Amino acid sequence: MNLATRLGKLPAYLFVDINRKIEEKRARGEDIVSFAIGDPDLPTPSHIIEHMCRAAHDPANHRYPETNGLPELRQAIAEWYKRRFGVVLNSEKEVLPLIGSKEGIGHVTLCFVEPGDIALVTDPGYPVYSMSTLIAGGEPYFMPLTEENDFLPDFNAIPVEVLVKAKLMWLNYPNNPTGATTNLDFFEKAIDFAKDHNLAICHDAPYTEVYFDDQKPPSLLEVPGAKEVAIEFHSLSKTYHMTGWRIGMAVGNAETIDALFRVKSNLDSGIPQAIQHAAIEALRGSQECISEHNAVLQRRRDKLTKVLREIGLTTRMPKATFYVWARVPSGYTSVDFTNKLLDEAGIAVTPGIGYGREGEGYIRLSLTLPDDRLDKAIDRLSNWCR
Ligand SMILES: *Cc1c(COP(=O)(O)O)cnc(C)c1O
C-alpha cells in the first residue's frame, strides 16, 4: 500500500515530545500544573445543557440533520451578529453552521487553493491555516506577526511574486497565540489590500467574546464592503464553553458560503440537531455567562502576568483571548525554556515555536486552569525563581 504524498508534507506535530514527557512525569506520580490547554475549564452554562437534553428526547432530532443546519439556527446566528456587531446577514445565503469552526477552516481551503496556489497565513498562527493549505496541494506563505508591529501582518512586506499566486489570506483577531487585538482601521486596510490583489479573506474570530476591561473586539464584517471579499469564522466553543459539543459558523460573502456548503455537503451530514438547539438557546438566551466567564479570566490574567513579570519574563497584558504570550529569557529557545519549567518547577507551557518560526523566543500560557491550580503554579514560579 502507498499513502498519498500529501501526508508526507505535513510536518511532525511539535507538541508530541513535550506531551510524552508530561505523561511520563505524571505516570511517576509528579504533579504537573498545565498552562498548555486552550480549552475552558468551566462547564457549559446549565440553561444551554438543559435545552440540549430536552431536544435530545425529541425524535425529530434523531434523524440526519441538513448540512446547512436548521433555518432557526441560521436565523439565530444572523440575529446575534446584528445584536453584537450591528452586522446584517442574510440567514439563507450568508450564514453556514459548522461542526466546530476548525472543520470549516480546513474545508474552506479546498474552495480556493489548487496545487501551486499560495495561502497567506499568520506566523505564529493556528496550525490549521497552513496544514489545510498543504493538504490541498498549495503552499503557505507566512506573514510574520512581530511584537514591534503589535502582532499585525505588514502587507507591504509581501513580495509581488507571492501575491500573484495568492488566493486567500488568513487573519485571526483576537489572536491565538499572541493575545493581540486590533481595530476597524486595520480590518479596513486588510480589505482594501485583498480587493487590490484579488484575494479572499478568511477571518478566524472565535475569541471576540473573550475580552477584558469591557473592551469588546470588533468583527471584520463591520467594515462597509467587507462581505465582497471576506468571510468570518466564529464558534460557540470559547464564547459559551462548548468546545466538546462541536458547533460554530461561517458568515459573510455569499459565494464563499455557497462554495463551502458544496464541499461540506459532499463530506459531512451536519451538526447533531440537539446540539443545534443548544446553540440556538446559547445565542438567544441570557448572555450573562460571558461577563461572568470574562471576570474569572481577567482575575487569572492579572495574577499570572504579575508573577511572570516578577520572575523577569516580559509580557504584554492581553486585552482578549485566554492566552498570555511571554518572552523567554535571553539565551533560551522556547523549547529549552519549556523543558526547564517542566523539569524544575513542574509547570507545563507551550513553546512558541509550535505556532511557527516567529513564535521562537516565546511561550504561551493559557488561563483555562482552575483557580487553585493557578495559585499553586504561581507559588511554584515565585519559589523557583528564588
Ligand atoms: C479554538 C480555536 C478554533 C476552533 O474552534 P472550534 O472549537 O473548532 O470551533 C479556531 N481558531 C482558533 C484560533 C482557535 O483558538
Side-chain angles (χ1 to χ4, degrees):
M1 111 187 164
N2 289 308
L3 292 174
T5 51
R6 68 172 64 87
L7 284 164
K9 291 189 191 150
L10 302 181
Y13 185 57
L14 181 105
F15 303 127
V16 170
D17 280 348
I18 287 156
N19 287 343
R20 190 184 318 120
K21 205 164 154 187
I22 295 171
E23 285 316 310
E24 283 166 9
K25 284 181 182 288
R26 284 188 169 147
R28 285 198 300 268
E30 287 180 47
D31 175 44
I32 306 294
V33 182
S34 180
F35 286 101
I37 301 156
D39 190 344
D41 58 304
L42 298 168
T44 309
S46 56
H47 68 285
I48 298 172
I49 301 287
E50 276 156 24
H51 225 77
M52 186 171 354
C53 291
R54 272 201 300 277
H57 284 291
D58 181 352
N61 297 323
H62 297 175
R63 311 185 65 192
Y64 279 124
E66 298 286 347
T67 297
N68 59 348
L70 295 163
E72 197 188 350
L73 173 60
R74 295 197 298 275
Q75 278 154 20
I77 291 169
E79 285 161 19
W80 185 83
Y81 253 81
K82 178 79 179 58
R83 230 182 309 121
R84 169 64 176 86
F85 300 112
V87 170
V88 177
L89 295 167
N90 178 323
S91 67
E92 292 307 308
K93 297 198 166 102
E94 296 175 331
V95 174
L96 184 62
L98 300 168
I99 314 169
S101 60
K102 183 179 186 179
E103 169 263 295
I105 292 167
H107 284 143
V108 81
T109 302
L110 299 175
C111 302
F112 289 103
V113 175
E114 295 179 63
D117 288 344
I118 287 178
L120 308 176
V121 304
T122 49
D123 175 6
Y126 186 62
V128 188
Y129 318 140
S130 54
M131 297 300 161
S132 62
T133 304
L134 292 170
I135 290 170
E139 232 183 282
Y141 173 83
F142 294 98
M143 303 183 288
L145 304 186
T146 63
E147 196 160 346
E148 301 76 65
N149 206 34
D150 296 324
F151 301 110
L152 299 172
D154 176 3
F155 301 133
N156 296 324
I158 305 170
V160 186
E161 58 277 17
V162 168
L163 286 172
V164 173
K165 293 200 228 164
K167 298 292 267 304
L168 83 162
M169 173 161 72
W170 284 98
L171 296 173
N172 162 226
Y173 295 95
N175 185 260
N176 174 11
T178 66
T181 51
T182 191
N183 53 33
L184 289 178
D185 282 347
F186 170 77
F187 285 149
E188 204 174 318
K189 268 190 220 138
I191 287 160
D192 288 345
F193 183 78
K195 287 182 179 171
D196 288 347
H197 298 281
N198 201 19
L199 298 168
I201 294 187
C202 291
H203 183 227
D204 183 21
Y207 294 102
T208 59
E209 306 318 294
V210 184
Y211 55 81
F212 307 123
D213 307 309
D214 292 320
Q215 303 268 1
K216 292 187 183 188
S219 158
L220 176 133
L221 299 180
E222 288 176 46
V223 176
K227 277 197 281 188
E228 291 161 35
V229 289
I231 64 166
E232 186 160 87
F233 289 91
H234 210 284
S235 175
L236 288 270
S237 288
K238 319 288 167 49
T239 304
Y240 302 105
H241 296 184
M242 289 176 68
T243 48
W245 303 111
R246 312 307 304 135
I247 188 160
M249 62 270 211
V251 301
N253 182 268
E255 196 182 345
T256 307
I257 292 292
D258 182 56
L260 182 53
F261 168 73
R262 277 154 56 200
V263 169
K264 276 172 56 62
S265 60
N266 285 294
L267 293 172
D268 71 59
S269 298
I271 308 149
Q273 275 185 190
I275 293 168
Q276 296 190 49
H277 283 287
I280 293 167
E281 171 63 18
L283 294 164
R284 285 189 174 156
S286 163
Q287 302 296 301
E288 242 166 75
C289 55
I290 293 177
S291 43
E292 285 166 17
H293 295 159
N294 290 346
V296 171
L297 290 171
Q298 184 161 343
R299 255 190 290 117
R300 293 178 184 170
R301 174 199 71 164
D302 293 348
K303 276 194 203 173
L304 181 62
T305 47
K306 183 161 172 275
V307 73
L308 291 177
R309 286 169 181 177
E310 279 166 11
I311 68 170
L313 301 186
T314 48
T315 176
R316 292 190 178 192
M317 191 72 116
K319 295 194 184 99
T321 77
F322 37 62
Y323 304 113
V324 172
W325 187 239
R327 250 187 212 282
V328 302
S330 60
Y332 291 97
T333 66
S334 63
V335 170
D336 290 344
F337 195 68
T338 298
N339 279 317
K340 193 173 168 69
L341 279 179
L342 188 58
D343 290 332
E344 295 176 12
I347 285 172
V349 301
T350 27
I353 187 79
Y355 301 95
R357 249 177 40 197
E358 296 292 331
E360 185 51 274
Y362 292 89
I363 50 172
R364 193 193 77 172
L365 298 96
S366 169
L367 301 171
T368 53
L369 72 181
D371 290 296
D372 59 325
R373 300 295 287 166
L374 176 65
D375 291 341
K376 182 170 239 176
I378 286 171
D379 283 348
R380 283 188 191 177
L381 283 170
S382 326
N383 291 333
W384 171 70
C385 200
R386 265 184 236 124

